[in-house]
Amino acid sequence: IGAARSDLGLGRSDAALRLSLRVLRSDRMSAGGLAVRGEALYLAGETDQAATFLREALRLDPDGSSTGAGPVLKRCRALGRRLSEARAAVFRRDFEGAVRLLGEALDASEPLPRRASLYGSLHSERAEAYLRLKKYEEAMKDAAVAIYARDDDEKAWLVKVRAYHGLERHQDALEELTDLMRKWGSGNERIRQAYDKADFEVRKARRPDFYGLLGVPSIASLMEIKKQYKVKAMEFHPDRLSGQSFSDDDRKEAETKFKLLGEGLEMLSDDFKRQLWDEGYDQEAIRERIAAAQHAAHRQGRDYHRGHGHH
């Protein structure tokens, strides 16, 4: 029981649960064992189960002088009420109310070890409510606290990454997810999907603005695009900037834009490529998808001819 209490002080509810189970297997009527198990379940966020063990500990030790079960049960009940109210607020989409109630739940659960699962999960839930309010900085702070409590908190990681995207910090999201994939995330489907999205957003942000370069809206017709291409190609043609009134930097910039105009025309004058571009894919990804489609079509045709020849 003493070792389990030491673990509880560090927020290590799993270790305390194992030790309390050993105690209760040898003595099912141990008030101290029941109280420790109840507190361990409380720190793990299992408030209903925790209350059951704590009540039983108080039945065997009514004044709670040797177990300390009374104050823990009081905090457990207060926390349970506020958590239920907070989750009901989320269900009603009252995220401001959820943030307030989760803050009250944190206050009601003090003192609470910073490594306890409960401490992390409360911050994780509040981070998600902040995210729904588009309060991205607050969401990231709470998610970071949750991750400190438990570094494999999937919900907290996903909230943090979505907050990065909300702040247009796609590169930060990708870097953190790259590190997470290396540590443990590669086997987690949702983390893998988040990584793919972050990679997509980073590549999308690095794309040239073909519509802006051509000076046409994204709904422009092919005829408008080709017409504007001719105008812009004349403006940035290297021969036009060959005089002494233009610097090397001017010519280099014009050459770059002239090259990009050609790439833009190629991309936006093909229906399939333009569709993929408008969906956010970069040139490399579009080339890969076209190559994959061509390969699939070739293989399908080869299989058809084989089957036809067999018959």
Side-chain angles (χ1 to χ4, degrees), residues 145-191:
V145 171
I147 291 165
Y148 175 78
R150 205 185 78 207
D151 63 4
D152 63 346
D153 187 333
E154 177 192 288
K155 180 192 286 187
W157 276 110
L158 292 173
V159 167
K160 188 177 184 184
V161 166
R162 287 167 64 191
Y164 271 135
H165 289 314
L167 294 167
E168 301 291 324
R169 293 170 58 183
H170 308 302
Q171 184 64 43
D172 289 330
L174 181 60
E175 287 174 5
E176 293 224 15
L177 284 164
T178 299
D179 186 53
L180 193 61
M181 289 282 283
R182 186 169 60 250
K183 289 178 179 175
W184 61 265
S186 60
N188 183 299
E189 180 63 25
R190 295 184 71 192
I191 296 296

Side-chain angles (χ1 to χ4, degrees), residues 88-108:
V90 169
F91 183 77
R92 297 192 306 270
R93 302 184 67 79
D94 175 15
F95 301 115
E96 290 281 5
V99 165
R100 176 179 54 79
L101 288 162
L102 287 164
E104 291 177 5
L106 277 163
D107 292 338

Side-chain angles (χ1 to χ4, degrees), residues 41-58:
L41 286 164
Y42 164 70
L43 291 185
E46 304 291 342
T47 54
D48 290 341
Q49 290 186 57
T52 299
F53 280 92
L54 291 165
R55 282 195 298 268
E56 184 64 13
L58 283 171

Side-chain angles (χ1 to χ4, degrees), residues 14 35 65 93 133 247:
D14 288 348
S65 58
R93 302 184 67 79
L133 293 167
S247 67

